[in-house]
Amino acid sequence: MARNAEKAMTTLARWRAAKEAESGEKDRRPYLASECTDLSKCEKWRLEIIREISKKVAQIQNAGLGEFRIRDLNDEINKLLREKRHWENQISALGGPHYRRYGPKMFDAEGREVPGNRGYKYFGAAKDLPGVRELFEQEPPPPPRKTRAELMKDIDADYYGYRDDDDGILLPLEEKAEKLAIQRAVTEWKEKQSRGSAALEEDDEEEDIYPTEADVDDISKQPSSEDDPWAMGLLGPRFTAHVPVPSQKDIEIALLKKKKQELLEKYGIE
């Protein structure tokens, strides 16, 4: 191992010492940008600040540094950005280019300008810190409310259900149910007709209003007016029917015939 004195006597060490002696004391960046009146040096310090910002932005991308280190790096980057802005103002004052006028803006992944673009900024993993993530999550705007006129445009016949039968589903079902109902009605009518025809054959015998010889004999055997209390007027007046009076069963049979005729005419059955 060489000693420090021997290291200092090497050719490289002596060459560097000579260069430092020629260039004099190493320049340091002024604390205030207004102290520098040389435009070229202002450009130099601005580029140096940009390199430092790029280095720190690359470091802050690592989320494993921890919350405190990430916050410190983000603070240092914002401090360097402010310092860069001062140097850009000084360059503009000295007659140089206006960097701030043409500087790029910060946008997020969706092309929107990042909140805090003109103030404190967040870089890399600092965007995912607690309390910072909510700044980038913008709530969607509420849907615009429709006016009464716009709501009335959507109200038509379908809204009131006037065209529900036009879907092509209900009408075929109704036709099928109607055919089944007609078939049942016809079947019931035929059954009633068969039962009614048998009853009519038994009860359709018309009453003979003309007296027969047996009836004459019965009349002759009736008591005289002297012995008949009806003829004597003791039990009130007596009425004699000169036409056949239908009984309750005759009325039911007549109504049944009329009902059958109406059903035949309704369904068009001969």
Side-chain angles (χ1 to χ4, degrees), residues 29 45-61 72-88 106 121-124:
R29 187 169 68 226
W45 303 133
R46 177 180 173 276
L47 293 176
E48 183 179 342
I49 293 173
I50 291 175
R51 284 193 292 269
E52 293 180 7
I53 292 174
S54 301
K55 188 183 299 184
K56 293 184 180 296
V57 167
Q59 294 177 3
I60 203 173
Q61 303 299 326
D72 292 341
L73 280 174
N74 202 74
D75 292 339
E76 294 174 4
I77 293 172
N78 280 274
K79 182 179 179 181
L80 290 172
L81 287 175
R82 289 194 299 270
E83 189 175 355
K84 182 175 76 71
R85 187 163 57 250
H86 294 323
W87 283 104
E88 289 174 352
M106 296 181 62
K121 301 179 181 64
Y122 296 92
F123 301 88

Side-chain angles (χ1 to χ4, degrees), residues 27-238:
D27 294 338
R28 290 188 176 182
R29 187 169 68 226
Y31 182 75
L32 297 176
S34 57
E35 295 178 359
C36 182
T37 57
D38 190 356
L39 182 59
S40 61
K41 288 187 177 181
C42 289
E43 293 280 0
K44 172 187 174 183
W45 303 133
R46 177 180 173 276
L47 293 176
E48 183 179 342
I49 293 173
I50 291 175
R51 284 193 292 269
E52 293 180 7
I53 292 174
S54 301
K55 188 183 299 184
K56 293 184 180 296
V57 167
Q59 294 177 3
I60 203 173
Q61 303 299 326
N62 185 9
L65 295 176
E67 179 180 350
F68 298 103
R69 178 56 181 162
I70 291 174
R71 291 186 184 274
D72 292 341
L73 280 174
N74 202 74
D75 292 339
E76 294 174 4
I77 293 172
N78 280 274
K79 182 179 179 181
L80 290 172
L81 287 175
R82 289 194 299 270
E83 189 175 355
K84 182 175 76 71
R85 187 163 57 250
H86 294 323
W87 283 104
E88 289 174 352
N89 293 336
Q90 181 65 14
I91 291 172
S92 300
L94 295 176
H98 298 277
Y99 291 104
R100 293 189 61 190
R101 182 181 301 175
Y102 308 106
K105 296 182 180 180
M106 296 181 62
F107 298 94
D108 58 5
E110 298 180 359
R112 296 174 298 187
E113 191 172 355
V114 176
N117 185 28
R118 307 187 186 281
Y120 193 87
K121 301 179 181 64
Y122 296 92
F123 301 88
K127 296 180 180 179
D128 298 329
L129 293 176
V132 180
R133 189 183 302 106
E134 289 76 6
L135 298 176
F136 295 92
E137 294 178 355
Q138 298 182 357
E139 295 183 359
R145 297 186 60 182
K146 292 185 178 181
T147 61
R148 187 177 183 86
E150 292 176 350
L151 292 174
M152 293 300 293
K153 290 180 181 178
D154 300 333
I155 297 178
D156 52 5
D158 293 334
Y159 178 81
Y160 294 102
Y162 290 149
R163 291 187 287 195
D164 290 346
D165 297 342
D166 298 342
D167 54 359
I169 299 175
L170 187 60
L171 291 178
L173 295 176
E174 290 181 349
E175 292 177 358
K176 185 178 180 180
E178 184 178 1
K179 290 180 180 179
L180 293 176
I182 292 174
Q183 291 178 0
R184 284 197 300 269
V186 171
T187 304
E188 293 176 0
W189 176 81
K190 288 181 178 179
E191 293 177 357
K192 290 181 179 179
Q193 188 181 25
S194 61
R195 291 196 300 267
S197 60
L200 286 174
E201 290 177 357
E202 298 176 358
D203 301 334
D204 271 356
E205 296 180 358
E206 296 182 359
E207 183 180 357
D208 190 4
I209 61 176
Y210 299 102
T212 61
E213 294 180 357
D215 295 334
V216 172
D217 296 337
D218 294 337
I219 293 173
S220 61
K221 293 179 181 179
Q222 291 180 359
S224 62
S225 59
E226 296 178 356
D227 300 331
D228 189 3
W230 294 96
M232 296 175 64
L234 299 176
L235 299 178
R238 182 175 182 180

Side-chain angles (χ1 to χ4, degrees), residues 236-263:
R238 182 175 182 180
F239 297 96
T240 303
H242 300 283
V243 294
V245 178
S247 63
Q248 184 68 25
K249 195 168 187 179
D250 297 336
I251 295 174
E252 292 178 358
I253 294 171
L255 291 176
L256 181 61
K257 287 183 179 181
K258 185 177 180 181
K259 188 65 176 178
K260 290 178 181 179
Q261 186 63 29
E262 291 178 355
L263 289 173

